Amino acid sequence: MKILVTGGNGYIGSHTCVELLNNGYEVVILDNFSNSKKENLAKIKEITNKDFKFYEGNMLDRSILDTIFTENKIDAVIDFAAYKAVGESVLKPVEYYTNNISTVLVLLSAMKDYNVKKLVFSSSATVYGDPEVIPITEECKTGGTTNPYGTSKLFVEQILKDLYNSDNTFDIAILRYFNPIGAHESGIIGEEPNGIPANLLPYVCKVASGKLECLSIFGNDYDTKDGTGVRDYIHVVDLAIGHIKALEKLNKEQHGLFIYNLATGTGYSVLDIVNAFEKVNGVKVNYKIVGRRAGDIATCYSNPTKAKEELGFIATRTLEDMCRDAWNYEQKNR
């Protein structure tokens, strides 16, 4: 099978491409380097000792998709081409809606024209808004999103549902991620956003290494065990394997639209992350408590039963693994 991976040079995309290549898939990557570094492409090849096709471009430009679908017999698409920082989305809603929704519309139009009807879509637990029930199952109510990032993912999910209702020859898997962290155990690829990190663990790594002075923890007055926000953190390699499981599901089923939470089912607070990082790696992380961040909620973690039962997916890597692998990447790529 030949898989088009949009945003395939980014954090989750690059780890997924490694797993795809290691599992015998052919890979075509489309990326515009808006939040990734070009050297990641060589690193994917270094880890897998396998080659792949790469196209540089933005999905808003339909012509790049025409070129890809014309030059390659694409069997399925995994779409990672989205901006993903909650806080930034509050400050830049127009940019987030344009990139995260319009690119999908262009992609779906091209997929229809070239009769490519298998899609794994990178969604998010933010579509649940401030959840009414914890742990969260796929049957929980969506909506009431608290930031433009989450709303953009919710809109795309509705677009995909409408598409499937109009043409049920599509096979679509919507994967709602919780909080991916960590890095490949080799330390060759990891989370390396352009500029100052927007996500917790890369920021912790930069503080521990001395590149940044202090971690700001946004609020310690939430209704949680230590007052800091609680999230379900999943190792990025486990998450990548979840995409392989989703592709296998789409290949086995006649047709359908399927929705899965990808998570561990365990909630950790921000201070849990900091403490585990310090303990596992023997380093100090300076932090300070500041005011709450717009768009954040207190607690969000999953019930991962459906993915286990229907995909055979279980996240096996621990919080200690996540912290150790993230620090290993930071040390090897200073």
Side-chain angles (χ1 to χ4, degrees):
M1 276 187 86
K2 183 172 285 190
I3 314 299
L4 169 60
V5 186
T6 66
N9 190 55
Y11 174 46
I12 302 171
S14 62
H15 286 82
T16 301
C17 286
V18 166
E19 296 305 317
L20 287 167
L21 290 164
N22 283 340
N23 279 274
Y25 291 90
E26 294 182 79
V27 170
V28 177
I29 295 177
L30 170 62
D31 206 289
N32 66 351
F33 305 119
S34 64
N35 197 31
S36 65
K37 293 178 168 57
K38 290 185 178 182
E39 52 264 33
N40 256 15
L41 296 170
K43 292 178 177 182
I44 295 170
K45 294 178 183 178
E46 180 183 350
I47 293 171
T48 63
N49 199 30
K50 295 180 181 178
D51 204 358
F52 52 84
K53 279 193 175 181
F54 172 73
Y55 295 82
E56 182 175 356
N58 190 313
M59 280 205 299
L60 290 172
D61 176 8
R62 169 62 190 261
S63 66
I64 189 68
L65 290 172
D66 288 329
T67 299
I68 291 171
F69 285 115
T70 299
E71 294 182 355
N72 304 274
K73 176 63 178 72
I74 301 296
D75 297 296
V77 179
I78 303 178
D79 180 26
F80 294 111
Y83 297 152
K84 63 182 181 68
V86 167
E88 183 182 62
S89 77
V90 176
L91 301 174
K92 298 180 177 180
V94 173
E95 291 86 343
Y96 268 69
Y97 288 128
T98 299
N99 184 76
N100 292 7
I101 298 173
S102 297
T103 53
V104 176
L105 293 172
V106 176
L107 173 64
L108 293 175
S109 175
M111 289 178 67
K112 288 186 71 174
D113 288 348
Y114 291 93
N115 198 36
V116 178
K117 294 195 170 182
K118 293 185 188 298
L119 173 67
V120 178
F121 176 66
S122 167
S123 191
S124 166
T126 54
V127 301
Y128 295 111
D130 197 347
E132 296 177 323
V133 178
I134 298 293
I136 299 168
T137 70
E138 291 82 353
E139 288 69 41
C140 287
K141 179 176 69 70
T142 58
T145 46
T146 59
N147 54 77
Y149 167 71
T151 306
S152 73
K153 292 296 187 180
L154 185 67
F155 285 171
V156 173
E157 287 198 8
Q158 187 60 53
I159 290 166
L160 294 176
K161 292 172 184 177
D162 292 341
L163 172 64
Y164 180 74
N165 288 335
S166 72
D167 182 356
N168 59 19
T169 63
F170 269 88
D171 301 296
I172 300 171
I174 294 172
L175 304 182
R176 292 172 178 163
Y177 309 162
F178 279 65
N179 291 72
I181 59 175
H184 193 269
E185 63 182 2
S186 66
I188 294 172
I189 58 173
E191 189 167 9
E192 186 69 29
N194 293 329
I196 296 176
N199 294 330
L200 175 60
L201 199 54
Y203 207 107
V204 167
C205 288
K206 300 302 182 192
V207 172
S209 66
K211 290 180 181 177
L212 295 173
E213 183 178 347
C214 186
L215 169 70
S216 293
I217 296 178
F218 298 101
N220 67 343
D221 57 351
Y222 287 105
D223 185 18
T224 62
K225 64 178 183 179
D226 58 25
T228 64
V230 169
R231 298 292 183 269
D232 192 329
Y233 295 92
I234 180 172
H235 196 293
V236 66
V237 175
D238 280 334
L239 185 68
I241 292 169
H243 293 76
I244 306 297
K245 299 290 188 181
L247 277 177
E248 292 171 353
K249 171 80 171 179
L250 296 186
N251 287 330
K252 284 188 294 189
E253 297 293 333
Q254 195 65 26
H255 294 298
L257 184 147
F258 310 96
I259 298 174
Y260 299 102
N261 293 338
L262 292 187
T264 64
T266 301
Y268 294 104
S269 73
V270 176
L271 286 178
D272 284 335
I273 297 292
V274 171
N275 293 334
F277 188 92
E278 290 183 332
K279 182 178 180 181
V280 167
N281 298 312
V283 294
K284 177 67 178 172
V285 178
N286 296 319
Y287 68 85
K288 62 181 178 181
I289 305 296
V290 298
R292 293 187 182 189
R293 182 173 57 182
D296 277 346
I297 60 175
T299 302
C300 182
Y301 63 91
S302 171
N303 179 339
T305 301
K306 185 180 179 184
K308 177 181 177 181
E309 292 180 347
E310 296 189 13
L311 298 181
F313 171 75
I314 301 174
T316 61
R317 291 161 178 83
T318 66
L319 178 61
E320 289 74 20
D321 294 330
M322 302 175 207
C323 292
R324 185 183 301 108
D325 289 343
W327 183 236
N328 181 42
Y329 174 77
E330 175 69 25
Q331 289 182 302
K332 288 188 175 181
N333 293 273
R334 286 185 177 180

